[in-house]
Amino acid sequence: MKVLIIGNGGREHALAWKIRQSPHVSWLGVTTGNGGTTSVAETVDVDSNDLDGIIKYVKENDIHLTVVGPEAPLAEGLVDRFESQHFIFGPVKAAAMLESSKSFAKKLMEEAGVPTGRFRTFSSALEAREYINTQRSPMVVKASGLAAGKGVFVCASREEAMNSVDAIMERKIFGDSGTEVIIEEFLDGEEVSLLAITDGTNYIMLPPSQDHKRIREGDHGPNTGGMGAYAPAPVMADELLKECCETIIEPVLNIMKEKGIPYKGVLYAGLMLTSEGPKVLEFNCRFGDPETQAILPLLSVDLVDLMLVSATGKMGEMMKALNLQPYNWHRLAKPGYSATVIAAAYGYPGKYEKGKVITGLTPETEELRLFHAGTKWDSGRLLTNGGRVIAATGLDLTLQGALNKAYRAINGMQFEGKTFRKDIGWRALQRLG
């Protein structure tokens, strides 16, 4: 089987590494790729946002399965353009609106009775400011469209909320993604990321994880695409996960199917575990980053098998044959924990420089993986080529052990301006004692 992965970040390197392990795969390609994907896949010189180029390459090279990493091609309708003889893993454009339009997602949750924060949607900056003046702080301001995981502002004051509306709607820091803004209540609690692989009717959960969005320790500073993650998150006990499946995942899949847009692929639910119970912060229509780098090394099953039953609508048959319940993720995973720490460029998530020489990479083992994101090879040297540079993922029977392995690799790695958080997993460590 020939498999093509769309995308060139850390998530795509992790996907390529895991997919390469499948006995089904005879050839694996990654569009443009990075300095790490070259070791496991062939680099395909087609831009991830060039839908015509992707379709042409798939047809001419008889690609059996295409796996979409980033959200933009899904939001633009790449899946809709595929023909039946070429399988693709991901939702159609209308279903991908769960991520590409936060306004759509919020209204759908309201209709389906899915617990989420109170919200209002605005297409006028003036009306948004007037509303802010009537609200208590803190509050959350979000760009409704895609913003590479950076379009959410947790505002401690009305002034901060006003400034966020100005940045999104007036200064257009996220372009047309800021045509609408969502202003919603601040939800307090602990965040958890849930990823479900689904064929639109049936689904199976992957190990629950926890991302660390803020740039600085203690969850301070601006949001990033994610500075680290770990799995499984101990705060998500089995009974709580079952509750989340019944009150969040299933109602969303059911209402999408009722609307004639069954959701296939990965459904990512970002949750806040509040004192009133789990509530949805956001949905994403693809694998999370860096959650993927933490989750995939834990999986003991063939990822390609899961993707194929999702794409072909045969997940129910697989689950029946294996006697799997949706929340039985333990049956898909190795024992123990996985912890991922991101090494980023100085200045990220703002302006940063590229082209810094990377040295001191720790040799990979069964219990340590290095997933490249913003890297490239140039004249035999590995250089930085993005804001998030490399993720180190450690595995161990204890979370502390997994973190120790990841941090040893991060500390050994050298490039000018290297930035990383030193407290990944702090909530879980407190919980585990």
Side-chain angles (χ1 to χ4, degrees), residues 175-240:
D176 290 341
S177 293
T179 302
E180 280 188 327
V181 296
I182 308 289
I183 300 175
E184 64 182 30
E185 69 169 316
F186 173 77
L187 297 178
D188 194 23
E190 193 164 347
E191 285 192 49
V192 178
S193 301
L194 296 184
L195 278 70
I197 295 184
T198 177
D199 64 358
T201 300
N202 297 284
Y203 68 97
I204 185 72
M205 304 302 297
L206 299 182
S209 60
Q210 188 170 90
D211 185 13
H212 297 63
K213 285 289 185 188
R214 302 295 191 97
I215 187 67
R216 292 195 289 273
E217 283 79 12
D219 294 322
H220 296 295
N223 270 342
T224 71
M227 292 301 293
Y230 63 89
V235 69
M236 183 54 68
D238 290 348
E239 281 304 310
L240 182 58

Side-chain angles (χ1 to χ4, degrees), residues 163-416:
N163 291 338
S164 298
V165 167
D166 177 69
I168 295 170
M169 303 193 79
E170 303 287 2
R171 291 191 281 122
K172 294 285 187 180
I173 62 172
F174 303 120
D176 290 341
S177 293
T179 302
E180 280 188 327
V181 296
I182 308 289
I183 300 175
E184 64 182 30
E185 69 169 316
F186 173 77
L187 297 178
D188 194 23
E190 193 164 347
E191 285 192 49
V192 178
S193 301
L194 296 184
L195 278 70
I197 295 184
T198 177
D199 64 358
T201 300
N202 297 284
Y203 68 97
I204 185 72
M205 304 302 297
L206 299 182
S209 60
Q210 188 170 90
D211 185 13
H212 297 63
K213 285 289 185 188
R214 302 295 191 97
I215 187 67
R216 292 195 289 273
E217 283 79 12
D219 294 322
H220 296 295
N223 270 342
T224 71
M227 292 301 293
Y230 63 89
V235 69
M236 183 54 68
D238 290 348
E239 281 304 310
L240 182 58
L241 177 60
K242 185 178 179 182
E243 176 188 342
C244 292
C245 290
E246 293 171 350
T247 61
I248 295 169
I249 304 298
E250 290 172 16
V252 167
L253 294 180
N254 289 340
I255 197 169
M256 296 291 277
K257 192 173 181 181
E258 289 170 12
K259 290 179 178 293
I261 45 174
Y263 189 101
K264 292 185 176 184
V266 173
L267 178 62
Y268 170 123
L271 309 182
M272 184 67 80
L273 304 181
T274 75
S275 59
E276 299 174 346
K279 294 187 178 184
V280 177
L281 295 171
E282 64 176 359
F283 285 114
N284 291 334
C285 59
R286 36 69 191 184
F287 282 99
D289 188 343
E291 291 96 336
T292 304
Q293 293 91 305
I295 292 171
L296 293 190
L298 281 177
L299 292 189
S300 57
V301 295
D302 189 334
L303 182 61
V304 173
D305 283 338
L306 294 179
M307 290 176 165
L308 285 173
V309 294
S310 165
T312 58
K314 296 180 178 179
M315 181 161 277
E317 296 176 22
M318 180 204 74
M319 293 176 68
K320 185 177 180 180
L322 297 177
N323 193 27
L324 271 178
Q325 294 297 317
Y327 41 84
N328 285 157
W329 66 264
H330 301 276
R331 302 227 351 238
L332 309 179
K334 307 169 188 175
Y337 292 86
S338 174
T340 297
V341 181
I342 302 287
Y346 179 77
Y348 176 78
K351 293 182 179 179
Y352 56 85
E353 295 182 356
K354 301 179 182 180
K356 306 300 182 182
V357 178
I358 304 169
T359 60
L361 296 187
T362 302
E364 293 181 278
T365 67
E366 287 289 318
E367 297 178 340
L368 175 71
R369 309 305 310 180
L370 299 180
F371 296 118
H372 293 229
T375 70
K376 69 174 183 179
W377 288 100
D378 185 10
S379 302
R381 300 184 305 170
L382 185 64
L383 305 178
T384 65
N385 194 42
R388 290 185 293 175
V389 180
I390 294 179
T393 297
L395 288 94
D396 195 86
L397 290 178
T398 68
L399 178 57
Q400 186 64 70
L403 286 163
N404 290 345
K405 290 169 184 174
Y407 274 114
R408 276 198 293 271
I410 290 292
N411 286 319
M413 186 186 312
Q414 300 299 323
F415 59 87
E416 184 183 337

